Amino acid sequence: MVCAMLTYFIPSADTALKVGYVASIASKLSDTLGSELGKAYGKTTYLVTTMKLVPRGTEGAVSLEGTLSGIIGSILLAYVSFLVGILPDIKSVVICVVAAFIATTAESFIGAVFQDSIKWLNNELVNLIMTVIGAVVGIALYSWIP
């Protein structure tokens, strides 16, 4: 949301901020799809920090089904953003998908390592951190990749 609002105040960074906006929303969609579909359909779940088998629903657990669901969701959201003119090109779509994957992986890591040991670090705050990571990675990749 911050990225979208900043496009008004910093027109020279308009495209990079739009990429950051879409990357942050793609990160949240990817996390939601990955979590919900991974819990429902994930056959085997692994802890992201150790890759050891853990029960479905464990903080920081990932599954192939959940990961693929999240990637597909971020691809769809980024591509629709391109089709409606928010993103300027396919490069931006790819950047948003990569940023979302990095952000959701970071979210799983934060959940696995810190969420149970830090009382105030609840799921909502971890999700906020993840969307910020998605936006920052999206903007950085867009700015660095020619």
Side-chain angles (χ1 to χ4, degrees):
M1 184 68 127
V2 172
C3 288
M5 292 187 309
L6 284 175
T7 61
Y8 180 77
F9 297 105
I10 311 171
S12 62
D14 179 70
T15 304
L17 290 168
K18 286 179 181 177
V19 169
Y21 171 70
V22 172
S24 71
I25 301 300
S27 298
K28 185 59 194 133
L29 177 63
S30 180
D31 176 58
T32 300
L33 290 173
S35 296
E36 299 306 321
L37 296 177
K39 286 177 194 171
Y41 301 107
K43 291 184 174 40
T44 309
T45 53
Y46 302 92
L47 192 61
V48 73
T49 54
T50 63
M51 296 312 286
K52 291 185 180 179
L53 289 171
V54 293
R56 281 189 276 184
T58 302
E59 288 297 335
V62 295
S63 68
L64 177 62
E65 296 83 359
T67 301
L68 289 177
S69 300
I71 291 169
I72 290 168
S74 62
I75 289 169
L76 290 173
L77 186 122
Y79 188 66
V80 168
S81 297
F82 166 69
L83 291 177
V84 300
I86 297 171
L87 295 178
D89 50 30
I90 296 298
K91 175 186 100 168
S92 301
V93 171
V94 172
I95 287 171
C96 288
V97 173
V98 170
F101 180 76
I102 291 169
T104 55
T105 302
E107 190 266 352
S108 294
F109 182 82
I110 291 166
V113 174
F114 301 111
Q115 200 161 354
D116 287 338
S117 61
I118 301 174
K119 290 197 181 264
W120 52 264
L121 190 61
N122 59 25
N123 198 50
E124 289 75 21
L125 184 54
V126 173
N127 284 332
L128 173 65
I129 293 167
M130 176 199 54
T131 57
V132 170
I133 291 170
V136 169
V137 170
I139 291 168
L141 289 175
Y142 184 79
S143 299
W144 293 334
I145 296 175

